[in-house]
Amino acid sequence: KEKGNISYDLLPDVLHHNCYLVLETWESDKALESHKLTRHYLDFAESLNEYTSEPPTLHRVEPDKISLF
């Protein structure tokens, strides 16, 4: 487990064939920014080009801005 990471999940997108959702929860913006500078993150981001036809779509979700009901 990486410092500052609370959770990490890789899930298939049930609405889109061959699409996956990566859901990560971080303790802080600083922890997330530090993660983006790690070798494994940079290697993973570069390797996506081999497997995808277009760049990934990133969405930031703030817990206090989500309404489930």
Side-chain angles (χ1 to χ4, degrees):
K1 185 174 180 179
E2 190 171 332
K3 183 179 178 183
N5 179 257
I6 296 171
S7 66
Y8 173 92
D9 293 293
L10 177 63
L11 307 166
D13 184 336
V14 297
L15 299 177
H16 302 95
H17 183 65
N18 286 334
C19 290
Y20 292 85
L21 303 173
V22 177
L23 302 176
E24 298 179 334
T25 305
W26 292 90
E27 289 179 357
S28 65
D29 288 340
K30 183 178 179 180
L32 175 57
E33 293 307 313
S34 293
H35 167 65
K36 291 180 181 179
L37 299 175
T38 62
R39 174 56 36 208
H40 67 273
Y41 176 87
L42 295 170
D43 289 345
F44 174 73
E46 185 175 328
S47 73
L48 287 177
N49 295 327
E50 297 177 39
Y51 304 103
T52 61
S53 59
E54 56 189 63
T57 303
L58 304 175
H59 299 280
R60 183 179 176 116
V61 179
E62 299 288 339
D64 60 339
K65 297 178 183 171
I66 298 174
S67 176
L68 298 177
F69 302 99

